[in-house]
Amino acid sequence: MKTLKIIKQNGSCCTTAKDIEVQETVNNSDKNLPIVIIGAGPIGLAAAAHLVEQKQAFILLEAGREIAHNIRSWGHVTLFSPWRYNINKAAKALLDASGWIEPNLETLPTGNELIDLYLKPLSELVQIKPNIQLNSKVVGISRQFNDKMKTKNRVEQSFNIYFEQENDIRIMEARAVIDATGTWGNPNPANSTGVWLKNELALADHIEYGIPDINSNTKRYANKKIAVIGGGHSAINTLLSLAELQKENPLTKLVWIMRKRSVEEAYGGEEKDALAARGALGVSIRELVDTGKIEVITPFYISQLKKDENIKIVGTLNGEPKVLTGFEELIVNAGNRPDFTMISELRLAIDATIESMQALAPLIDPNEHSCGTVRAHGEEILRQPEKDFYIVGAKSYGRAPTFLMATGYEQVRSITAYLSGDNEASKRVELELPETGVCGMNLANQSNSCC
């Protein structure tokens, strides 16, 4: 590292090359700097557990007021996969040593149970809790003294993490960074082209994105005309909750809008699905459609939303212009996308189509793969041009909906092994996934997450 000492001559306000004295200083080794993990969800906490296992110093930054803050927003939703696929091995070893009571591995947790019965106890462990900083929103990452353009000595510089905490901006140095921030909270719009328009933004008071807790907000939806937009499992979950509301409030009208060629494509494997809970969704939603409790409009491509007395949805149905009218509330389940704003000063290899890690894209392309056909992958696939910076978890998959939690656990196991100097362990594959079989059906139209 070099520092510059400016010496003014002849009272001039300007300097020349002769005015600049270069003082050599010793470049401080970054061996004692921590590895910084961003995002205290399942994948970020798994990375922490592996770093404890590897005896590596780390700091875990979480933007929310509690760990797994984003999961709490869909805490009422039940996962498809049983507990046995949702618990990281390194985390389990630490928890078992603390006297933790393991949940029944064959049952299906809700998001709230995932936090309260597993992630929260993990975060409270003495090896992990002191290293977590909540209410710490990362707003930027760079190399110390360098923006993206500077190459000389770049890899020798530590990372600077800029984060908001207690109404101030703080800066933390790190020798490596693991971005486990995910994609939740950065939804795709209702617009079929993926473009955000001001008309949709202006309707924010009448649109929810994701899977809202209908039971906690019945007044918003009871006896209204509601459009659910999206053809995946999130949309089905939303519709099933609204159908329960409809039983007590029969004037509630439900319209399901999607782009699939036919509604049957949304049902999936039903009884044949190897993940029984996911298959049950298809069975239940088919019954509601067949009995007329849910109106289906497909294939419908939305071009924009408009507001007059109610909400109008403008688009095309079977290639013909069509305007759907009379909606009072919209729920958009069109998936999520990664946000790269905070890492824009790092050198990244991002796939132009999927917005996943570039080397990962051919393995996860949803046009060719389902969650049941994605191969396990680790550090080498996730390696970035920016040395020792990694994007993991759902964010590493970009817009692809095929991410599984267990896959994220394998990612951070491999990466933390590499950062700890265990190259052999980083190259091993230590992942066994359930045979999901029919998860591969209708790949070109799959728009929901597999996890």
Side-chain angles (χ1 to χ4, degrees), residues 240-252 288 293:
L240 293 177
S241 294
L242 288 169
E244 290 298 312
L245 176 72
Q246 190 183 54
K247 291 178 182 178
E248 301 296 325
N249 302 273
L251 295 180
T252 306
L288 291 170
K293 294 180 173 62

Side-chain angles (χ1 to χ4, degrees), residues 205-442:
D205 291 342
H206 298 280
I207 304 178
E208 286 205 69
Y209 298 87
I211 310 175
D213 188 350
I214 304 299
N215 291 332
S216 68
N217 202 6
T218 56
K219 289 184 180 179
R220 177 169 181 170
Y221 297 106
N223 299 316
K224 294 182 180 179
K225 185 177 181 180
I226 306 158
V228 176
I229 300 167
H233 295 117
S234 295
I236 293 174
N237 263 308
T238 298
L239 286 161
L240 293 177
S241 294
L242 288 169
E244 290 298 312
L245 176 72
Q246 190 183 54
K247 291 178 182 178
E248 301 296 325
N249 302 273
L251 295 180
T252 306
K253 182 171 178 57
L254 306 179
V255 181
W256 188 8
I257 300 171
M258 57 182 147
R259 293 177 287 179
K260 295 187 184 296
R261 288 168 294 182
S262 68
V263 67
E264 286 75 18
E265 291 185 356
Y267 298 151
E270 300 182 76
E271 296 92 342
K272 298 177 182 179
D273 198 313
L275 289 177
R278 185 175 56 201
L281 292 182
V283 173
S284 298
I285 199 68
R286 178 190 285 273
E287 181 180 351
L288 291 170
V289 171
D290 289 348
T291 56
K293 294 180 173 62
I294 296 174
E295 177 187 357
V296 177
I297 300 177
T298 196
F300 191 87
Y301 290 82
I302 298 172
S303 60
Q304 61 177 310
L305 307 177
K306 291 187 175 182
K307 181 77 166 69
D308 46 28
E309 183 178 348
N310 289 307
I311 300 171
K312 296 191 295 187
I313 302 176
V314 181
T316 59
L317 178 63
N318 290 314
E320 297 294 327
K322 180 78 172 178
V323 179
L324 310 177
T325 61
F327 296 100
E328 297 164 90
E329 295 287 339
L330 305 182
I331 300 175
V332 180
N333 294 133
N336 301 279
R337 60 180 66 177
D339 182 355
F340 299 115
T341 305
M342 74 176 187
I343 53 178
S344 61
E345 286 304 315
L346 299 179
R347 297 179 176 182
L348 307 174
I350 305 297
D351 183 73
T353 302
I354 304 172
E355 296 184 6
S356 68
M357 303 309 92
Q358 194 169 68
L360 183 58
L363 306 180
I364 64 172
D365 187 342
N367 295 297
E368 300 179 16
H369 294 282
S370 74
C371 53
T373 63
V374 173
R375 299 199 311 270
H377 51 275
E379 184 277 334
E380 189 172 4
I381 289 292
L382 298 170
R383 194 178 296 172
Q384 288 288 338
E386 197 71 70
K387 186 178 183 298
D388 294 336
F389 173 78
Y390 298 91
I391 298 174
V392 299
K395 189 171 181 177
S396 71
Y397 274 49
R399 299 195 189 195
T402 46
F403 176 72
L404 286 166
M405 200 181 301
T407 305
Y409 292 160
E410 174 63 6
Q411 289 179 339
V412 296
R413 183 207 62 78
S414 173
I415 289 168
T416 55
Y418 180 83
L419 292 175
S420 303
D422 191 345
N423 292 345
E424 190 276 328
S426 75
K427 294 177 181 178
R428 288 199 305 264
V429 175
E430 298 182 7
L431 179 64
E432 295 179 7
L433 292 175
E435 289 294 332
T436 52
V438 295
C439 180
M441 294 179 62
N442 309 318

Side-chain angles (χ1 to χ4, degrees), residues 56 58 64 75 82 92 167 171 201 237-238 240 242 306 349 394 400 445:
Q56 299 295 313
F58 70 92
K92 182 180 184 307
N167 298 316
I171 305 174
L201 295 171
N237 263 308
T238 298
L240 293 177
L242 288 169
K306 291 187 175 182
N445 295 286

